[in-house]
Amino acid sequence: MTQPVATPKDRTLSPEDRKLFEELATRHYRQAYHISYRMAGSHAGAEDLTQEAMVRAFQSFHRYRRELPFANWLYRIIVNLHIDELRRRPKAWIDSVEDMPGLAELPDVNSDPSDMVLSQEIDTCLQQALNSLPKDFRTAVVLCDIEGLSYEEIAEVMQCSIGTVRSRIHRGRNQLRRFLGVS
């Protein structure tokens, strides 16, 4: 196997920066995976998206502004990678909910079997509803309602105004309610 040729864009991190990156990546990996899972809709997609985001974050760590939250910067990378992936995919027509990608639930090992089945059914319905949303609405709703980010943090991650974030969250929630049949 040949070694990659170094380009002018390649930057070597100092030992301190490498250690800082490893600490931040370790601290935020689980959260990044959960966001990736909700964006991608599957465990395999989430694993790929999270790993690619971590690689990109490592390669770009010299551009990370230390005064800003690392999590927001990492979420922005995840969102951008997911949008890039959606753009590369051929447009597929989904005739029904049954044609949507198969989904699995993150199991709670402390639950009894009936709770696990119920939880899996709820998670599958929720994930299908999330998948039905336009990508900007899904991103805003996931970051707000699942990850608990503030509107300001979401605006930073999505690189848009707070008013746009509010609109996307409101419209996304309304579409979720309609899809799930909730008034």
Side-chain angles (χ1 to χ4, degrees):
M1 183 170 188
T2 62
Q3 292 292 327
V5 178
T7 64
K9 291 170 75 173
D10 289 341
R11 304 207 185 233
T12 337
L13 294 180
S14 68
E16 297 82 25
D17 281 348
R18 181 181 290 266
K19 183 177 180 198
L20 176 62
F21 176 81
E22 289 173 3
E23 289 170 4
L24 291 169
T26 300
R27 184 178 325 146
H28 295 284
Y29 187 86
R30 184 177 175 98
Q31 195 74 10
Y33 176 84
H34 288 294
I35 288 174
S36 296
Y37 175 75
R38 292 298 177 191
M39 297 273 179
S42 71
H43 290 291
E47 289 171 5
D48 291 345
L49 185 55
T50 305
Q51 287 302 313
E52 181 64 24
M54 289 297 179
V55 168
R56 293 275 176 96
F58 181 78
Q59 291 171 339
S60 305
F61 195 64
H62 62 278
R63 287 186 269 161
Y64 165 60
R65 293 184 10 217
R66 304 303 199 270
E67 68 275 8
L68 299 176
F70 178 79
N72 292 3
W73 182 70
L74 181 60
Y75 299 161
R76 180 76 235 160
I77 292 171
I78 292 170
V79 168
N80 285 340
L81 286 170
H82 181 67
I83 290 169
D84 289 347
E85 174 60 28
L86 290 176
R87 286 182 183 145
R88 282 193 297 271
R89 289 183 194 163
K91 301 267 188 252
W93 185 259
I94 296 176
D95 291 326
S96 68
V97 173
E98 289 80 28
D99 293 338
M100 293 180 134
L103 305 168
E105 194 242 337
L106 296 172
D108 179 1
V109 295
N110 298 322
S111 295
D112 68 36
S114 62
D115 286 345
M116 289 178 64
V117 169
L118 181 60
S119 178
Q120 186 171 8
E121 288 177 21
I122 291 169
D123 188 71
T124 299
C125 289
L126 178 60
Q127 190 62 54
Q128 288 173 341
L130 285 169
N131 286 347
S132 74
L133 295 177
K135 65 185 174 203
D136 289 336
F137 292 4
R138 178 175 52 227
T139 299
V141 169
V142 166
L143 292 176
C144 179
D145 295 335
I146 296 175
E147 300 306 323
L149 270 62
S150 69
Y151 287 0
E152 292 81 11
E153 292 171 318
I154 296 168
E156 180 183 322
V157 168
M158 296 186 74
Q159 296 177 336
C160 62
S161 72
I162 292 175
T164 301
V165 168
R166 290 175 198 247
S167 173
R168 289 175 180 172
I169 291 170
H170 177 74
R171 291 178 180 177
R173 286 174 179 165
N174 284 341
Q175 287 184 17
L176 283 174
R177 282 186 196 102
R178 281 193 300 275
F179 184 90
L180 295 170
V182 178
S183 301

